[in-house]
C-alpha cells in the first residue's frame, strides 16, 4: 500500500490533456461543433485553452467528450473540473456512474467569481463581473477496472454552449495494492484539513 496519510495526492497525470493544452488529444468527442476556446473569458481571465461544446446551428443536440482512465487500483477518488454553460444548456460531468451538473449562468457571474476574495484574479475578470465559471467535484469509487470520465452538454437551440477545463484527479489516505510505477508522477498537493 502507498500511504499518503493526511495529505491529498494528485493523480491528474492519469488524465491525458486535462486542460485542452493539446487540443482534443486523449478525448473522444461526439457530435461537437465546439472546439478549443482561447481567449480572456477563461476562468482566470487569461488567454488559456479550454474545451468548448455545443454552439451548433442545428439547435437541440447533445455533445460530449469522453476519456477512459486505466491503471488505478480500487479505491475512492475525486474528479474535479471547472465549467460554465449558457442559460438553458445543461453541462454534466460524469465519472464511473456518478454525475454533477454545472450551473447554467452564461458568460457572467459564476461561483468562482462569487466565492473569490476581492483581490483574487477570478474576482477581477470581465471588469469585475466574472465569466460564469463554477467548480464541481465528484467523489467516486472504482474497483480497479478502467473507467470513463466525460462531459456532455444538452442544448435546445443553436445559441447554447458550454465550456469545461482544468480536470483534476485526487485521492486521500491509503491506496491499496499498488506499486509506485502504477502511480506515474504522484505529487503531494496539499495538507488535508485536520
Amino acid at each position: 500500500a502507498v500511504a499518503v496519510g493526511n495529505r491529498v495526492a494528485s493523480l491528474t497525470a492519469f488524465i491525458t490533456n486535462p486542460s485542452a493544452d493539446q487540443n482534443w488529444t486523449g478525448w473522444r468527442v461526439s457530435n461537437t461543433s465546439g472546439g478549443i476556446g482561447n481567449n480572456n473569458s477563461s476562468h482566470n481571465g487569461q488567454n488559456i485553452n479550454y474545451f468548448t461544446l455545443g454552439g451548433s446551428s442545428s439547435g437541440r443536440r447533445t455533445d460530449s467528450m469522453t476519456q477512459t482512465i486505466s491503471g488505478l487500483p480500487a479505491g475512492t477518488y475525486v474528479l474535479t473540473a471547472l465549467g460554465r454553460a449558457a442559460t438553458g444548456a445543461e453541462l454534466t460531468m460524469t465519472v464511473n456512474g456518478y454525475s454533477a451538473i454545472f450551473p447554467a449562468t452564461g458568460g457572467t457571474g459564476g461561483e468562482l467569481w462569487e466565492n473569490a476574495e476581492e483581490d483574487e484574479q477570478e474576482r477581477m475578470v470581465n471588469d469585475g463581473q466574472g465569466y460564469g465559471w463554477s467548480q464541481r467535484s465528484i467523489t467516486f469509487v472504482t474497483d480497479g477496472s478502467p473507467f470513463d470520465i466525460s462531459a456532455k452538454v444538452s442544448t435546445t437551440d443553436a445559441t447554447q454552449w458550454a465550456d469545461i477545463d482544468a480536470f483534476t484527479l485526487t485521492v486521500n489516505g491509503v491506496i491499496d495494492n499498488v506499486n509506485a510505477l502504477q502511480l506515474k508522477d504522484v505529487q503531494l498537493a496539499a495538507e488535508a484539513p485536520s
Side-chain angles (χ1 to χ4, degrees), residues 19-193:
S19 293
D21 294 328
Q22 302 165 5
N23 293 316
W24 290 104
T25 300
W27 295 94
R28 298 182 309 278
V29 294
S30 174
N31 252 358
T32 191
S33 60
I36 303 300
N38 183 309
N39 57 45
N40 66 355
S41 68
S42 68
H43 54 87
N44 65 6
Q46 303 296 312
N47 287 339
I48 61 170
N49 289 357
Y50 53 88
F51 300 104
T52 298
L53 300 168
S56 165
S57 60
S58 65
R60 182 180 297 272
R61 63 186 283 144
T62 300
D63 297 1
S64 65
M65 55 189 282
T66 305
Q67 184 173 145
T68 301
I69 306 297
S70 60
L72 287 172
T76 303
Y77 299 89
V78 179
L79 179 69
T80 300
L82 303 176
R84 66 179 180 167
T87 303
E90 183 174 277
L91 176 60
T92 305
M93 177 175 67
T94 303
V95 58
N96 211 28
Y98 302 86
S99 295
I101 298 173
F102 290 87
T105 59
T108 59
E111 294 169 350
L112 282 185
W113 173 77
E114 290 170 3
N115 297 328
E117 298 292 327
E118 290 296 323
D119 60 347
E120 289 183 303
Q121 182 68 28
E122 288 80 4
R123 188 67 174 187
M124 295 183 274
V125 299
N126 196 17
D127 295 324
Q129 298 178 54
Y131 278 118
W133 293 88
S134 296
Q135 177 177 293
R136 289 292 177 267
S137 295
I138 302 171
T139 301
F140 67 99
V141 177
T142 178
D143 64 3
S145 300
F147 58 88
D148 286 342
I149 61 174
S150 67
K152 81 173 180 182
V153 62
S154 298
T155 61
T156 56
D157 71 50
T159 64
Q160 295 173 340
W161 50 267
D163 299 326
I164 194 162
D165 190 28
F167 286 91
T168 62
L169 183 63
T170 57
V171 65
N172 288 313
V174 176
I175 308 169
D176 289 326
N177 302 318
V178 65
N179 65 53
L181 293 177
Q182 285 178 293
L183 292 180
K184 293 186 179 178
D185 298 319
V186 173
Q187 300 168 346
L188 296 177
E191 290 287 336

